[in-house]
Amino acid sequence: GGFAGYGIYPEYADYYAFHVFFDTQAAKDECEREIEKHFDIVNLSKIPTRQHPRITDEPMIWRYFVAPLPTKLAASQLDESEIVARFVIRINHTLDGAYIFSSGKNMGVFKANGFPEDVGEYYMLENYEAYSWTCHGRYPTNTPGWWGGAHPFALLDYTIVHNGEISSYDANRRYIEMYGYKCNLLTDTEGITYIIDFLNRKQKLCLEDIAKIIAAPFWSEIDSDKYSESERQKLKYFRNVFSSLLITGPFSIILGFDGGLMALNDRLKLRSMVAAEKGDMVYLASEECAIRAICPVVDRIWSPRGGEPIIVKLNEKK
């Protein structure tokens, strides 16, 4: 299980927060040497936890608030988000015993091999406040259950929680790894996070268009009278250029990003997705009972169509 909170580090809002699992002291020492080569570390500490009878075999869990060194920015001619993304991917791919599982600004992921309620108690989440939270309880069906494999998956400010099965994983992975990403965390959900980062941050596509790529309409639907000619041309372009980023199989996902959330399920709606509103709060879940457990009486509740994104932004509902 795991959680991602946005807005939890206001005192360090201008810095990237690395949350890192370490299996050994040697891995920690080596990772810290690598961090110091590329970043100014303004604060580092163990992430506070409390002992929990059902959370066992925990790694060392540390956090680092960092900023890319100006010399590295100047030498690389890359923006700081690209420097951070490349560093995180390189560490996770090459340094055994170290895994940077959270790397955004003013946000953090807290995850473990355990039930979500136990994970929340273990990380003492009652001490944090956020403008949005995502949560996931995962029962691994065909991949190992381990600390790094728990949801949410994150890169920079993007986090993904996912319910379902990605049958297009190999095609998605082969495509995304051509652009420097490395999928080695033993789960298909990791690839979704990188796809979102690639399309939104690198390709500058809006979330509505990203939904049209990863949950693309069928060709027969594109050719119908449902769309205008300009919309048809746009959808055909997406399907041709980003064909390998079409995610097939049953899925529902919730994307967290700086300032908002997006919920999306597969175009056939083979997995459930429910949304609700109460005042200025928005709730998204795979099951209505999850929403009712938090907010028993809501103003409005509905289920989006397959492939129809729900995008919610801070102080702005769509």
Side-chain angles (χ1 to χ4, degrees):
F3 300 80
Y6 287 81
I8 63 172
Y9 293 132
E11 67 273 34
Y12 295 108
D14 295 330
Y15 299 94
Y16 293 91
F18 289 168
H19 290 190
V20 194
F21 291 143
F22 297 115
D23 291 338
T24 65
Q25 184 63 45
K28 178 176 180 291
D29 293 343
E30 184 176 352
C31 186
E32 288 184 348
R33 285 194 294 269
E34 288 298 313
I35 294 174
E36 289 177 336
K37 288 180 186 177
H38 297 85
F39 299 93
D40 177 25
I41 303 175
V42 298
N43 184 280
L44 75 162
S45 65
K46 288 183 178 180
I47 292 182
T49 59
R50 65 162 63 93
Q51 291 299 307
H52 196 287
R54 288 181 295 276
I55 302 293
T56 59
D57 300 322
E58 59 264 39
M60 294 180 284
I61 312 172
W62 281 69
R63 61 184 166 203
Y64 305 80
F65 295 98
V66 305
L69 293 171
T71 53
K72 295 294 182 180
L73 283 170
S76 68
Q77 297 185 338
L78 300 171
D79 64 30
E80 63 175 26
S81 61
E82 182 64 13
I83 286 178
V84 172
R86 291 188 184 190
F87 179 82
V88 170
I89 292 167
R90 179 173 65 83
I91 292 295
N92 290 348
H93 184 61
T94 63
L95 206 168
D96 289 339
Y99 170 41
I100 302 174
F101 63 97
S102 184
S103 53
K105 282 187 174 182
N106 202 12
M107 58 81 65
V109 172
F110 305 87
K111 62 182 184 177
N113 192 7
F115 292 108
E117 60 270 27
D118 298 337
V119 174
E121 293 174 3
Y122 174 76
Y123 280 106
M124 300 188 289
L125 291 190
E126 68 272 14
N127 296 328
Y128 298 87
E129 294 182 354
Y131 61 77
S132 73
W133 288 97
T134 60
C135 174
H136 189 272
R138 181 186 184 218
Y139 185 82
T141 52
N142 56 11
T143 55
W146 67 294
W147 284 65
H151 299 208
F153 285 90
L155 181 67
L156 299 172
D157 295 324
Y158 303 102
T159 62
I160 285 285
V161 290
H162 161 229
N163 173 25
E165 199 75 38
I166 305 304
S167 58
S168 58
Y169 172 70
D170 277 342
N172 300 153
R173 178 187 57 79
R174 286 194 300 269
Y175 184 97
I176 206 67
E177 286 191 342
M178 292 192 300
Y179 295 91
Y181 300 91
K182 298 295 182 184
C183 297
N184 49 18
L185 299 180
L186 308 178
T187 178
D188 49 13
T189 309
E190 177 192 19
I192 302 175
T193 311
Y194 299 155
I195 288 170
I196 298 293
D197 177 68
F198 173 74
L199 292 174
N200 187 237
R201 182 176 63 88
K202 291 191 173 185
Q203 298 297 313
K204 309 301 183 186
L205 293 174
C206 66
L207 294 176
E208 290 87 350
D209 285 346
I210 291 172
K212 294 181 175 71
I213 292 171
I214 64 178
F218 290 96
W219 285 108
S220 58
E221 185 180 352
I222 293 174
D223 290 331
S224 70
D225 294 333
K226 180 178 178 179
Y227 300 104
S228 67
E229 181 59 28
S230 61
E231 289 173 325
R232 276 195 292 272
Q233 292 304 316
K234 182 179 187 179
L235 291 170
K236 288 179 179 179
Y237 173 82
F238 285 157
R239 290 223 55 181
N240 284 314
V241 173
F242 300 112
S243 59
S244 293
L245 296 185
L246 170 66
I247 298 175
T248 60
F251 71 84
S252 58
I253 63 174
I254 297 177
L255 163 70
F257 59 92
D258 181 23
L261 297 169
M262 178 176 78
L264 179 71
N265 55 3
D266 63 88
R267 54 191 179 173
L268 288 176
K269 201 170 177 62
L270 297 172
R271 282 292 185 271
S272 60
M273 176 69 73
V274 181
E277 295 177 347
K278 177 69 173 181
D280 63 353
M281 293 290 291
V282 176
Y283 302 91
L284 304 166
S286 58
E287 304 293 342
E288 181 178 343
C289 61
I291 296 175
R292 298 289 187 183
I294 297 174
C295 184
V297 180
V298 298
D299 298 332
R300 177 190 176 212
I301 191 164
W302 76 99
S303 182
R305 296 187 299 272
E308 175 191 11
I310 297 176
I311 300 170
V312 182
K313 295 185 179 179
L314 192 61
N315 299 322
E316 175 190 344
K317 290 184 287 187
K318 293 183 67 174

